[in-house]
Amino acid sequence: MMSPDDFYEWHDEPRQGDIVLCGVSRIIAEDRHSPAQWESLDAHFLQIDDAWQAGRALGVAAGIGLAMVVTHDCQLDKEWNQRVRDLQRGGMELERAEEEATADTTLDRTLVVSPLVDPDDLRGGHGNLLAGRVIGYLPVPRHPENLVDECVVDLTYQCTIDRLDVAKIASITEAARKQLRYALIQLDALRTADLGFEVEAVVGRTIRKVEVPAREPLTVRIQLDDGNVIQLLQQPGTPDQETGRTGEFFSSEGRSHA
């Protein structure tokens, strides 16, 4: 696990990895089963009768808790940036265009979050979870000001929320965001054992060696039998935040920061 000093870094701009206080929800079956790690989040239950027709109901479990923004930075301000460009093309000055776009609260309203959960409620083993050895979970150290307890982000639980019903509590460093991106890719795209055979079939060569550099965990280098190297994944870049909106993205900030 990263140290708190290496993990946390306050910034006003909305970014992937921001820790927020928000509502989360999920669709549930009629027995209202809640895994141990989600029991505190499943504080309220809603049943929509005959939603499936034929008398079958639709159940929803919802609650309030801390969660991490998993939406990539590029997506957080996608509509805002497009509106600024459109206004500029229409002859408006940049500063005025940004003000106009920021005033439009319909832009970029949704984002995807995953809740922070207690590792003791999970079956992966406390030590393995906090060491980042369990796929689907990102270890989070205790915040220096105790705003966040030591926990893990449960990436297997993802829900879409409205950004105007969110309070930002903390933000993280670029190094921590790299760990989050790697954890997301590992969960969604790097779990298949057939990948090597598929690559060999595509390029027509035999794979001699596969490297995942420790300093660049999002880069997978595949060395072929003819000496060529394929870089399978590249580390996602972080957009220039100086051209994006700042704290006005969320409805309110969870605290002030000097």
Side-chain angles (χ1 to χ4, degrees), residues 71-244:
T71 303
H72 192 271
D73 297 333
C74 295
Q75 194 68 30
L76 291 176
D77 273 334
K78 185 176 182 179
E79 295 175 354
W80 185 90
N81 285 321
Q82 184 61 52
R83 179 63 60 83
V84 170
R85 287 192 293 268
D86 290 344
L87 292 171
Q88 284 187 286
R89 280 195 288 266
M92 188 175 292
E93 294 290 332
L94 175 60
E95 184 176 354
R96 175 59 182 159
E98 290 179 344
E99 292 176 354
E100 189 91 2
T102 299
D104 187 348
T105 58
T106 67
L107 301 178
D108 304 299
R109 281 293 293 264
T110 60
L111 60 152
V112 178
V113 300
S114 289
L116 277 55
V117 301
D118 187 341
D120 289 333
D121 292 332
L122 291 160
R123 298 177 180 177
H126 186 100
N128 286 331
L129 285 160
L130 294 182
R133 299 193 188 102
V134 182
I135 291 178
Y137 301 94
L138 175 74
V140 176
R142 182 183 298 274
H143 191 277
E145 298 176 22
N146 296 320
L147 297 175
V148 181
D149 290 332
E150 184 179 73
C151 59
V152 293
V153 182
D154 189 345
L155 299 174
T156 69
Y157 186 148
Q158 296 185 17
C159 65
T160 302
I161 65 171
D162 191 318
R163 67 174 175 84
L164 294 189
D165 194 31
V166 165
K168 183 172 175 176
I169 302 300
S171 47
I172 66 175
T173 64
E174 180 63 22
R177 268 190 298 280
K178 290 178 181 177
Q179 294 296 323
L180 169 61
R181 291 166 187 159
Y182 179 65
L184 287 167
I185 292 175
Q186 189 178 37
L187 172 65
D188 293 333
L190 295 182
R191 302 184 70 172
T192 172
D194 297 327
L195 179 61
F197 298 104
E198 292 176 3
V199 172
E200 289 183 349
V202 170
V203 301
R205 308 299 308 188
T206 300
I207 295 175
R208 295 181 57 187
K209 185 178 181 182
V210 177
E211 295 177 303
V212 181
R215 294 184 179 181
E216 298 180 77
L218 293 183
T219 300
V220 179
R221 295 173 184 163
I222 301 176
Q223 186 179 103
L224 303 177
D225 57 358
D226 62 357
N228 288 319
V229 175
I230 295 176
Q231 185 165 287
L232 184 60
L233 292 173
Q234 291 190 357
Q235 181 175 298
T238 297
D240 180 5
Q241 292 295 332
E242 292 181 359
T243 61

